[in-house]
Amino acid sequence: MAVIPMFPLGVALLPGERLPLQIFEPRYLALVDECLNRSPQPEFGVVLISHGHEVGGGDQRTDVGVLARIISAYDLPGGRQRLECVGTERFRVQEWLPDDPYPRAEVESWPDDAGSDIDEDADALVNGRVTGLAQLAAELAQRSGGPPPGDPLADLPTDPMRRCFALAARLPLGQADRYALLAAPDAQAGFAVLATALDDLTAAVKFRMMDPDLP
């Protein structure tokens, strides 16, 4: 276990996903300074805020998060900073420490199970739902005059858990679904979360297409 600086956010960051941040609050400016100038690795933990807001504290935080590695940082006017980060590995929060001078927690690493696999039916089920959703989204874009969507299944990682995370990052999932996926114990459970979320997305797109004002 290790004590790391923490950045609670209103988003569930996924491993492999990019995270741009604009830092302006003094405690998080101090966190960034610590990461960049006083730590062997320029990284911090990101957890989803389940209730409340990150500005000013007083939030309720989830117990599973992702390490965010800073890959670039530059100053902005007004004492702000711009960061580009990428999610790396999962962790579980064991204990929150006082937010002084910024949020910190004792965490335990939770590596993805590289040996885990999924059965072919689960893989085919998710791929079929993604393909169906992409077709509906393309039809909706054509009718509304929007840009055509890309192919969510293109160039995904081969590792099942990483593929699950990468696919989710390309879909317009709600934060509850993203967190459920992040907290899934293995790839099989992760694909089950994705299948349910895809059903909800498909239903939402079909409802949108019933709008009588849509061309």
Side-chain angles (χ1 to χ4, degrees):
M1 288 189 287
V3 174
I4 63 171
M6 300 288 286
F7 203 138
L9 287 172
V11 60
L13 178 66
L14 300 173
E17 189 175 26
R18 293 294 184 104
L19 176 69
L21 289 172
Q22 188 172 138
I23 311 299
F24 60 89
E25 196 174 350
R27 59 180 179 162
Y28 292 123
L29 290 170
L31 179 152
V32 172
D33 178 70
E34 177 73 23
C35 291
L36 293 177
N37 300 314
R38 298 174 179 81
S39 299
Q41 290 285 351
E43 59 188 16
F44 52 87
V46 173
V47 292
L48 174 67
I49 294 173
S50 55
H51 297 285
H53 197 270
E54 63 264 29
V55 177
D59 45 46
Q60 296 182 30
R61 305 159 183 173
T62 53
D63 294 330
V64 178
V66 171
L67 285 177
R69 180 167 298 149
I70 301 172
I71 56 178
S72 68
Y74 55 91
D75 295 333
L76 296 173
R80 298 169 295 146
Q81 284 188 306
R82 175 77 175 183
L83 303 182
E84 293 293 334
C85 309
V86 62
T88 58
E89 66 177 61
R90 295 186 295 176
F91 60 79
R92 293 185 180 95
V93 175
Q94 301 299 309
E95 182 180 0
W96 283 96
L97 304 177
D99 286 12
D100 184 18
Y102 44 75
R104 297 173 301 137
E106 187 176 77
V107 305
E108 180 180 41
S109 177
W110 187 13
D112 301 333
D113 185 357
S116 68
D117 207 345
I118 55 172
D119 61 51
E120 294 182 1
D121 289 342
D123 198 12
L125 184 70
V126 166
N127 288 348
R129 279 166 164 75
V130 171
T131 300
L133 178 63
Q135 292 170 346
L136 286 173
E139 181 181 346
L140 179 61
Q142 184 177 28
R143 290 174 59 184
S144 62
D151 180 7
L153 296 173
D155 302 319
L156 291 172
T158 56
D159 175 78
M161 200 68 184
R162 289 283 162 167
R163 185 161 82 250
C164 197
F165 289 141
L167 179 55
R170 300 177 183 183
L171 299 171
L173 300 183
Q175 296 307 320
D177 288 329
R178 288 169 63 92
Y179 181 73
L181 174 60
L182 182 64
D186 52 38
Q188 186 74 20
F191 269 71
V193 171
L194 268 184
T196 300
L198 283 161
D199 285 342
D200 293 340
L201 285 174
T202 299
V205 173
K206 288 181 176 179
F207 182 78
R208 174 75 177 89
M209 293 177 70
M210 294 170 59
D211 188 344
D213 295 328
L214 192 67

